Amino acid sequence: MHTYIGPSLAAGGRTLALFKIPTRQGEVYMSVGRTEFGNDERAVVEVRRDALFGLWRNDLTDTARALAARGKAPGETLSEKLELADEGFRFGMDDPVPLVEVCCRVRSQIKAAPSGGPAAGNATAQPYVSVIDGVARTLWLASQGAPCFPVECLVAEAPLLARLAGSRRSRWMRVSEMLPRH
């Protein structure tokens, strides 16, 4: 991974896997930490911004619905969240921003048969990414020109995400590999 720096001691004595991401504003820092369980099932994949957005676009209707359901107009919510993301990224290496959490899956779709064609439609598979936590962080990184950045997903989804959107010559890693138990 190009952005991975290595383990770093954070405030409070907690060890985090630290990442340095280049942006137009300079370098910003992100991190992921061990949890009590599930570190072997959590993966970090360094993704290319444009490829991630291409996959995310396939799920954009769900994202827009979720933003609207929060009771505010999507623009207001997003504007407020982008300001918070901007502020969060300013803390630097001392207080890195958590990784964006995504899921990467494939949805089956039935396309209607062309008129005059067979009665049954054609089944196709459409890969997509959903941002589970970190929509504003994702949009902030994109708006600041970050060419690639790390995201967290389930190990079961990491090979697909790495194949479809992963950085060149980069491999995904389990959180337990980055932060082994002492």
Side-chain angles (χ1 to χ4, degrees), residues 15-61:
T15 302
L16 301 172
L18 192 62
F19 302 85
K20 180 170 54 174
I21 297 92
T23 71
R24 281 194 282 273
Q25 287 193 13
E27 294 167 337
V28 297
Y29 296 87
M30 298 183 84
S31 68
V32 67
R34 285 185 68 86
T35 57
E36 293 297 317
F37 59 92
N39 297 298
D40 287 329
E41 288 81 35
R42 296 167 49 221
V44 176
V45 179
E46 186 177 80
V47 295
R48 293 171 285 123
R49 176 194 65 223
D50 295 341
L52 180 77
F53 271 78
L55 291 168
W56 193 13
R57 220 174 274 117
N58 293 342
D59 192 44
L60 202 50
T61 56

Side-chain angles (χ1 to χ4, degrees), residues 120-131:
N122 298 325
T124 61
Q126 181 185 39
Y128 67 95
V129 163
S130 294
V131 176

Side-chain angles (χ1 to χ4, degrees), residues 55-167:
L55 291 168
W56 193 13
R57 220 174 274 117
N58 293 342
D59 192 44
L60 202 50
T61 56
D62 293 339
T63 302
R65 251 193 317 269
L67 284 172
R70 294 181 184 216
K72 293 185 179 180
E76 292 172 348
T77 301
L78 191 54
S79 176
E80 292 167 4
K81 288 188 168 271
L82 284 173
E83 285 179 27
L84 288 173
D86 185 55
E87 186 177 313
F89 277 110
R90 290 184 191 180
F91 291 119
M93 192 185 308
D94 295 332
D95 191 8
V97 172
L99 295 187
V100 171
E101 187 179 345
V102 303
C103 72
C104 182
R105 298 190 178 133
V106 177
R107 171 186 302 124
S108 294
Q109 290 186 315
I110 304 292
K111 292 188 177 183
S115 97
N122 298 325
T124 61
Q126 181 185 39
Y128 67 95
V129 163
S130 294
V131 176
I132 298 167
D133 183 25
V135 170
R137 282 172 271 162
T138 305
L139 295 173
W140 188 92
L141 287 164
S143 72
Q144 297 305 313
C148 64
F149 50 90
V151 298
E152 181 181 338
C153 67
L154 294 174
V155 164
E157 299 169 355
L160 178 63
L161 181 59
R163 184 169 50 86
L164 297 174
S167 295

